[in-house]
């Protein structure tokens, strides 16, 4: 039997964005936070590096703003960048108050303007401004925020709940287009329950799982982007997908990043025949920026028709390698690769979704009552290329600003009346799950081959043709069979893939992370790619 729930605020997603928003609401506001798997299954838990913020007195807001604008290839919205950076210090202070154990800087003199926590520097940042908790910052942040949320009686943390679709007045045939909540699959009962809410937030993370190789955990299927699109929200700049150049290539190694620090310490990228290739692409060789290295690897893999290239640090003394890279050493060894003696098979992997659901500085989407925050959203911060460690910052800044906006609106926003239950009377159990598995593989493979790091118009057209066939098949399947997590994710992945392809086809230039052989030059004017579900194609 399906169930009906009512909350003041429904937060779909328990990562950095969702938890920040929930914790910034007062204790008399009833909040549900959903996760489609265990609570920690988003990207947040896996973030290693840290959070960028202006913390040291020698750093300035202007410098962080300029660095972000430079990285963004002319497409950052300066107001969004400034807003985010100006709120960075208070976001970090809030995290510290929640108990996040950031690594301290024991060496610095704290009375001369040095910040008392250790700050590192990452690519693109002209100052030390990355606050971190050793090399497991995401886990430290997530654990502290979850601990706080568990202590708050007004916050219900609900695992194994997969939001299927948003409920809007428009969907119910009512006048207006306010969001009233969501239909949510309870994976334990197999039933789809109705969650009514005065405010609904999609904080569902990115969509990197649309590609065959990704650094993201399994749930990064763009659910929030697809749901918001179906509910009537515009999306922007979905052609900009950031690829990490070196992810371990091994059938059993899911999503393991081989840190860039290896290249920093002299590791060499090689073809299967042992030849070094990076100097042919950039005078900086292996130390060229991420997108250039990823593009070079992709080029060589496509040219030679090989499944991976190799990253070799075996020329360094074994003790040095083990001491500097214990995690990579141990992890590779579990797959039978001794990196002190053998090269590591690597492929680039989809890492971050720069585009998303269009929002304002309070995280408000086009649909009243619906907010989007974190990697799901498009705030204008990242432009055509995300700068390292700005993404977690965005989660906290917008989580807090969205909460403040909701608090201001709560007194004048009634609870939606009883909503209709999910209708499963016309569907049966599927006896053809092979179709889901097949379509899932096919989608991720052609997205990798045709809509990956280097694009051409012909490849994009092929991908568009295929994704439209898949969408038809999936729609038919969806109409006839009971929903499952796999089916919901496949439907959303295909929808987001279609939007990514369409966005890539609209951009007739190469800019930032979007590179096409047919339009290799950057146009003078930088324009966002905005897609509107209310405009017919
Ligand atoms: C390996 C790795 C390292 C990274 N390192 C850094 C770093 O050092 N610094 C940095 O700034 N960024 C880093 N990033 C990026 C950053 O971690 C993410 O952008 C950020 O954590 C996203 O947070 P989020 O809250 O938006 O989403 P996530 O943390 O991805 O959380 C998404 C949540 O939504 C839930 N969800 C999704 N769909 C549904 C649904 N249909 N129904 C119910 N729940 C749903 C999931 O269960 C999950 O709880 C890294 C990413 C990866 C993968």
């Amino acid at each position: 039997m399906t169930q009906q729930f009512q909350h003041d605020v429904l937060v779909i997603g328990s990562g950095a964005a969702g938890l920040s928003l929930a914790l910034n609401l007062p204790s008399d506001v009833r909040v549900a936070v959903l996760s489609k798997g265990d609570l920690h299954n988003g990207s947040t838990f896996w973030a290693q590096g840290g959070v960028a913020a202006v913390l040291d007195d020698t750093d300035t807001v202007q410098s962080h703003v300029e660095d972000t604008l430079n990285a963004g290839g002319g497409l950052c919205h300066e107001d969004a960048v400034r807003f985010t950076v100006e709120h960075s210090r208070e976001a970090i202070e809030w995290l510290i108050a929640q108990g996040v154990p950031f690594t301290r800087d024991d060496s610095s003199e704290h009375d001369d303007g040095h910040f008392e926590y250790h700050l590192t520097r990452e690519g693109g940042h002209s100052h030390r401004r990355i606050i971190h908790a050793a090399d497991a910052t995401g886990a430290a942040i997530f654990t502290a925020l979850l601990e706080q949320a568990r202590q708050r009686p007004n916050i219900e943390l609900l695992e194994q709940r997969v939001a299927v679709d948003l409920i809007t007045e428009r969907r119910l045939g009512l006048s207006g287009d306010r969001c009233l909540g969501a239909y949510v699959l309870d994976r334990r009962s197999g039933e789809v329950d109705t969650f009514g809410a005065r405010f609904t937030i999609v904080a569902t993370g990115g969509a990197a799982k649309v590609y065959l190789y990704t650094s993201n955990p399994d749930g990064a299927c763009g659910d929030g982007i697809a749901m918001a699109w179906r509910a009537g929200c515009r999306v922007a700049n979905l052609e900009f997908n950031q690829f990490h150049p070196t992810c371990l290539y091994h059938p059993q190694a899911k999503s393991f990043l081989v840190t860039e620090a290896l290249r920093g310490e002299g590791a060499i990228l090689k073809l299967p025949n042992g030849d070094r290739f990076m100097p042919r692409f950039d005078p900086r060789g292996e130390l060229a920026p991420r997108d250039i290295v990823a593009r070079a690897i992709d080029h060589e893999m496509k040219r030679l028709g090989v499944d991976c290239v190799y990253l070799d640090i075996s020329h360094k003394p074994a003790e040095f390698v083990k001491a500097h890279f214990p995690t990579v050493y141990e992890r590779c060894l579990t797959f039978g690769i001794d990196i002190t003696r053998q090269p590591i098979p690597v492929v680039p992997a989809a890492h971050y979704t720069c585009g998303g659901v269009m929002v304002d500085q309070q995280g408000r989407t086009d649909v009243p009552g619906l907010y989007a925050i974190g990697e799901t959203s498009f705030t204008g911060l990242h432009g055509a290329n995300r700068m390292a460690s700005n993404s977690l910052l965005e989660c906290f800044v917008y989580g807090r600003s969205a909460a403040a906006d909701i608090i201001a609106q709560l007194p004048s926003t009634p609870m939606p009346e009883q909503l209709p239950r999910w209708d499963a009377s016309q569907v049966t159990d599927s006896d053809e799950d092979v179709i889901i598995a097949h379509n899932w593989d096919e989608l991720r493979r052609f997205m990798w081959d045709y809509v990956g790091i280097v694009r051409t118009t012909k490849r994009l057209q092929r991908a568009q043709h295929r994704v439209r066939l898949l969408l038809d098949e999936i729609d038919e399947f969806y109409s006839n069979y009971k929903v499952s997590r796999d089916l919901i994710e496949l439907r959303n992945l295909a929808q987001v893939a279609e939007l990514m392809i369409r966005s890539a086809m609209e951009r007739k230039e190469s800019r930032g992370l979007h590179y096409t052989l047919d339009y290799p030059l950057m146009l003078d004017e930088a324009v966002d790619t905005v897609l509107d579900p209310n405009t017919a194609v």
Side-chain angles (χ1 to χ4, degrees):
M1 177 69 179
T2 64
Q3 300 192 65
Q4 305 256 38
F5 300 96
Q6 281 197 328
H7 294 85
D8 295 315
V9 179
L10 172 64
V11 184
I12 306 172
S14 63
L19 288 176
S20 309
L21 185 137
L23 287 167
N24 276 284
L25 293 169
S27 55
D28 60 344
V29 176
R30 291 192 53 234
V31 186
V33 176
L34 311 183
S35 175
K36 65 176 164 183
D38 297 339
L39 289 167
H40 74 271
N41 85 147
S43 289
T44 298
F45 189 82
W46 303 102
Q48 299 164 359
V51 190
V54 180
L55 299 166
D56 194 286
D57 284 358
T58 60
D59 193 6
T60 62
V61 167
Q62 187 57 25
S63 166
H64 190 169
V65 168
E66 278 170 16
D67 290 345
T68 305
L69 295 177
N70 284 340
L75 267 186
C76 296
H77 296 195
E78 189 166 346
D79 54 346
V81 178
R82 198 163 286 284
F83 174 77
T84 310
V85 174
E86 278 172 354
H87 289 85
S88 62
R89 179 181 264 273
E90 68 189 45
I92 300 300
E93 284 168 354
W94 178 76
L95 286 170
I96 292 170
Q98 305 309 303
V100 178
F102 288 119
T103 300
R104 288 179 179 272
D105 183 358
D106 297 329
S107 64
S108 63
E109 297 290 332
H110 304 310
D111 51 0
D112 69 351
H114 275 295
F115 192 58
E116 66 180 291
Y117 291 90
H118 184 255
L119 302 174
T120 62
R121 190 166 160 183
E122 287 182 340
H125 291 277
S126 56
H127 275 86
R128 283 187 171 267
R129 62 168 75 102
I130 317 300
I131 189 164
H132 61 103
D135 63 352
T137 309
I141 291 175
F142 176 81
T143 306
L145 296 187
L146 184 63
E147 183 60 31
Q148 290 293 330
R150 286 207 160 112
Q151 288 171 26
R152 294 272 297 268
N154 66 315
I155 300 178
E156 258 182 279
L157 297 162
L158 301 169
E159 294 181 316
Q160 312 299 338
R161 306 301 209 289
V162 191
V164 183
D165 253 325
L166 298 165
I167 307 171
T168 57
E169 288 173 332
R170 191 176 349 166
R171 181 188 170 120
L172 299 181
L174 305 170
S175 63
D177 55 3
R178 194 173 175 81
C179 184
L180 307 172
Y183 289 116
V184 177
L185 171 70
D186 183 339
R187 291 174 69 198
R188 300 155 318 162
S189 66
E191 300 288 354
V192 177
D193 299 327
T194 312
F195 279 72
R198 296 156 86 188
F199 295 95
T200 304
I201 290 86
V202 284
T204 48
K209 199 76 190 174
V210 80
Y211 288 105
L212 188 59
Y213 303 112
T214 171
S215 66
N216 285 202
D218 278 348
C221 297
D223 292 357
I225 299 172
M227 285 191 289
W229 170 260
R230 289 194 291 267
C233 296
R234 285 170 305 156
V235 296
N237 287 3
L238 280 169
E239 67 274 37
F240 295 111
N241 294 293
Q242 190 171 60
F243 290 82
H244 194 286
T246 54
C247 204
L248 178 61
Y249 177 72
H250 188 278
Q252 268 97 51
K254 265 187 149 183
S255 320
F256 182 67
L257 278 191
V258 180
T259 167
E260 290 184 50
L262 250 88
R263 282 182 282 127
E265 293 299 337
I268 291 169
L269 279 162
K270 293 180 173 174
L271 299 174
N273 68 2
D275 284 354
R276 186 178 179 203
F277 60 92
M278 269 316 297
R280 277 196 277 119
F281 292 87
D282 192 287
R284 290 163 288 186
E286 280 75 7
L287 297 178
R290 254 186 206 183
D291 50 332
I292 294 177
V293 179
R295 217 172 284 150
I297 297 175
D298 182 76
H299 178 88
E300 292 301 287
M301 283 172 57
K302 287 212 171 83
R303 184 175 70 85
L304 298 170
V306 293
D307 290 333
C308 64
V309 295
Y310 294 86
L311 185 64
D312 193 356
I313 195 153
S314 63
H315 52 283
K316 292 271 179 186
E319 287 320 309
F320 170 88
V321 173
K322 285 188 211 171
H324 279 75
F325 305 107
T327 313
V328 180
Y329 173 74
E330 291 297 337
R331 189 65 189 265
C332 289
L333 210 53
T334 61
F335 299 113
I337 305 159
D338 178 351
I339 69 169
T340 64
R341 294 190 298 115
Q342 294 164 283
I344 311 165
V346 291
V347 285
H351 190 52
Y352 187 80
T353 312
C354 292
V357 184
M358 289 183 80
V359 294
D360 63 14
Q361 283 180 2
Q362 282 67 45
R364 289 182 292 214
T365 69
D366 292 337
V367 171
L370 178 67
Y371 293 70
I373 49 172
E375 196 171 331
T376 305
S377 66
F378 167 81
T379 62
L381 171 66
H382 305 302
N385 198 353
R386 171 192 73 125
M387 196 166 65
S389 293
N390 268 352
S391 36
L392 280 171
L393 175 64
E394 187 184 44
C395 293
F396 306 123
V397 170
Y398 284 81
R400 286 161 58 76
S401 68
D405 193 64
I406 289 170
I407 292 167
Q409 290 189 53
L410 267 168
S412 58
T413 310
M415 185 68 84
E417 290 175 13
Q418 191 83 338
L419 298 171
R421 289 177 192 273
W422 179 257
D423 180 9
S425 59
Q426 307 297 315
V427 294
T428 57
D429 281 321
S430 154
D431 55 0
E432 290 251 53
D433 282 352
V434 64
I435 295 176
I436 297 180
H438 176 89
N439 286 352
W440 185 296
D441 288 347
E442 186 184 338
L443 176 79
R444 297 182 64 211
R445 164 70 68 181
F446 73 65
M447 284 299 288
W448 182 258
D449 287 341
Y450 299 155
V451 197
I453 298 166
V454 176
R455 298 158 179 179
T456 66
T457 305
K458 222 177 212 157
R459 286 181 198 160
L460 292 175
Q461 283 166 345
R462 287 206 173 108
Q464 188 166 56
H465 179 65
R466 279 169 172 70
V467 84
R468 288 191 170 157
L469 292 176
L470 275 188
L471 276 170
D472 285 347
E473 262 182 54
I474 295 164
D475 266 357
E476 196 199 321
F477 203 88
Y478 184 77
S479 316
N480 291 318
Y481 297 109
K482 274 192 169 174
V483 290
S484 63
R485 173 172 171 170
D486 282 350
L487 177 56
I488 294 165
E489 290 186 338
L490 175 64
R491 179 178 180 236
N492 292 332
L493 277 176
Q495 179 62 76
V496 175
E498 198 271 333
L499 296 170
M500 285 177 176
I501 297 165
R502 221 194 298 169
S503 305
M505 289 177 87
E506 286 206 3
R507 188 164 292 284
K508 306 265 189 281
E509 62 167 346
S510 290
R511 180 185 296 275
L513 299 165
H514 173 75
Y515 183 77
T516 163
L517 296 175
D518 291 308
Y519 303 99
L521 302 180
M522 187 159 86
L523 298 177
D524 291 339
E525 201 188 351
V527 182
D528 290 327
T529 309
V530 177
L531 302 181
D532 185 343
N534 306 303
T535 313
V537 247

